[in-house]
Amino acid sequence: MGSIQLKSVRKAFGGVSVINGVDLDIKNGEFAVFVGPSGCGKSTLLRLIAGLEDVTSGEVLIDGKAVTDVGPAQRGLAMVFQSYALYPHMSVRNNIAFALKMAGEKTDVIERKVAKAAATLNLTDYLDRKPRQLSGGQRQRVAIGRAIVREPKAFLFDEPLSNLDASLRVQMRVEIGELHNDLKTTMIYVTHDQVEAMTMADKIVVLDKGSVAQVGTPLELYNRPNGLFVAGFIGSPKMNFIKGPSSERRGAAILGIRPEHVAVSTTAGEWPATVRLAEHLGSDTFVHAEGDGIGPLTLRLEGEAPLKPDQRIFVTPREANIHKFDTNGRRID
Amino acid sequence: MATQQTSAAARVLVAPSVILLFLWMIVPLAMTLYFSSLRYSLLDAENIGFVGFQNYAAFLSDPDFLSALVNTLVLVGSVLVISVGGGILVALLMDQPVFGQNALRLMVIAPFFVMPTVSALVWKNLLMNPDSGLFAWIARSLGMEPVVWFTNHPMMSVVIVVSWEWLPFASLILLTALQSLDEEQKEAAQLDGAGALPYFFYIVLPHIARAITVVILIETIFLLSVFAEIYVTTGGGPGVATTNIPFLVYKEALLNFDVGAASAGGIVAVILANIVAIFLMRIVGRNLEG
Ligand SMILES: Nc1ncnc2c1ncn2[C@@H]1O[C@H](COP(=O)(O)OP(=O)(O)O)[C@@H](O)[C@H]1O
Ligand SMILES: [Mg+2]
């Protein structure tokens, strides 16, 4: 069991409001990702759930029970910190065992649980090492191991992969996903990286300046962003926003079109443009162009597109994939 | 990495200071060694001559030597225990967010800036004086007999004075160490369910172990040569109750005017300090590794 609910949760630090009334419902077993730009309050929200900060007003409920007066250790949640926060003078074994020791478990029970967690995370050979003798990825696993042995109601991850290099990040992303499939425990995962959010989440919570901008599955957010903020944040490369005659003609203040949802021609089309730069990735070509009268455009073309800088092109959006927004930046259907 | 030319140049450039420091150390040491092998009493200055190890034999077989040795170790040991133990407590307190934190810190550190002679005088005349001291006044207002500190508990009194001087140093170093404890580690321990005591013993103490080692090593060096506090308060007495090795050397040199014996005592003190240092490095030095 591990459902988590937030009811109009607010948090202010010395008068500065950081979380402005968040309502949220995370079901048991769900993989929820909090995503948003740096400083939008993701960590603060996670720490409010963990009990490391007190809410200014509102309520946090775990399994339906308010936990406002429950200390962090008693909430039954485990957290994996961005810096891993391993105890540097303890061996890997003792790091993983620490919470169990503090809970007064018997030695043989502790040993069995530590061995099991170590086996799950491929740490068995490293149990007697100190954290500083491990690589970044291994430290990350120890931090996860420390969380697993507690058999928590939910795991809380605060940007756990941001200290790893790109390839290791992809690998750990997969491992955490597999871990979730195995354990089926609720996980809340904080990241500023929308790719991580899209690939891992059952449910994405997009945060903007301390408020929830939109909640939904990755594809819901991709296909039907409810406003300019989410539209611009989810998806890579970013969605193009276009003002002017072509959006007015479609009855919108601003028109959004993803780089992958356009047709490019060298002869005719809706928006004439000049190629600035073409990035050839092999599988795709990202084209940065300057549209006449509508500003910069990013285009994503499949395969090798034979485009060169300063070449004239014509861009036509696919009508079905156009997002329309009103003057307040809200979605129009 | 330095090339051969630059390292040669570096050697030439540091040479003057190295040579100066070397002479600064080696000349007094050599002279002390030389004097320690002479019969050289200022009361009988005509009659100077080589006596080999006689001064050492005399100094080491002096019954006062053994008690001075014990006194030295008791003084160093007690002050270390009090200042490190107390320093940890004070540092933990100072690490809490309280009103007027900075002013408080300054006040705690203040005793360290008071000269040993002055602080000993303050303790002797204003606090521990059995007639006019603060402690005596408190005792009398509670209807108790005032304690005659320096007569009845001489070693304890000296230990108190010296501990008072060194507590701030220990507190300050340990506070710095405490403050460098990673915030996320504190929170991880909190989530792991570590209460105050396990948190202290499993997380805080290992974290500040290195700083404790540094405090112990530095304090030991200075505590082995405590002199002013004893000179000002008890004068090494009653009897030899508070005579430590430095004070014994002083007595030989300036009360008995025996330069030879005092030099021998000085050399013995140097050797002793080295023995203590080796022991300390053995016991606590491994904390400094890695
Ligand atoms: N302990 C604190 N005291 C004051 N302000 C804080 C504190 N913690 C966070 N903040 C502020 O709250 C905002 C959100 O911080 P945070 O939740 O860490 O953002 P994120 O994790 O999304 O990058 C930031 O503006 C930050 O400066
Ligand atoms: Mg953060």
Side-chain angles (χ1 to χ4, degrees), chain B residues 10-25:
Chain B
R11 260 183 232 136
V12 172
L13 289 171
V14 298
S17 40
V18 170
I19 291 170
L20 196 71
L21 275 173
F22 186 69
L23 291 177
W24 192 272
M25 269 174 48

Side-chain angles (χ1 to χ4, degrees), chain B residues 120-203:
Chain B
L121 281 171
V122 167
W123 277 85
K124 184 187 183 186
N125 296 326
L126 299 181
L127 298 174
M128 287 175 156
N129 188 304
D131 299 316
S132 55
L134 181 69
F135 295 166
W137 178 79
I138 292 172
R140 269 194 291 271
S141 7
L142 295 176
M144 292 188 299
E145 200 56 26
V147 179
V148 189
W149 286 96
F150 288 106
T151 309
N152 295 342
H153 310 283
M155 186 45 108
M156 201 201 325
S157 309
V158 172
V159 166
I160 290 174
V161 174
V162 178
S163 299
W164 180 79
E165 288 171 354
W166 283 98
L167 185 63
F169 171 75
S171 309
L172 193 63
I173 303 277
L174 297 179
L175 174 66
T176 324
L178 273 185
Q179 288 173 332
S180 71
L181 184 54
D182 177 38
E183 198 65 31
E184 288 198 341
Q185 239 182 75
K186 291 184 200 175
E187 295 177 346
Q190 211 181 336
L191 277 169
D192 276 344
L197 279 183
Y199 173 65
F200 176 75
F201 283 106
Y202 287 109
I203 312 291

Side-chain angles (χ1 to χ4, degrees), chain B residues 56-73 155 235-252 255-256 265 268 272:
Chain B
Y56 289 93
F59 188 82
L60 292 175
S61 60
D62 185 341
D64 289 353
F65 168 72
L66 206 63
S67 61
L69 180 61
V70 172
N71 284 340
T72 305
L73 296 180
M155 186 45 108
V240 289
T242 54
T243 298
N244 61 356
I245 302 260
F247 200 84
L248 188 63
V249 172
Y250 155 80
K251 278 210 277 196
E252 291 289 354
L255 300 182
N256 301 342
V268 169
L272 241 155

Side-chain angles (χ1 to χ4, degrees), chain A residues 13 18 36-45 53 158-159 190:
Chain A
F13 288 110
V18 171
S38 195
C40 69
K42 307 178 295 289
S43 298
T44 307
L45 198 56
E53 304 277 1
D158 191 356
E159 310 220 11
V190 161

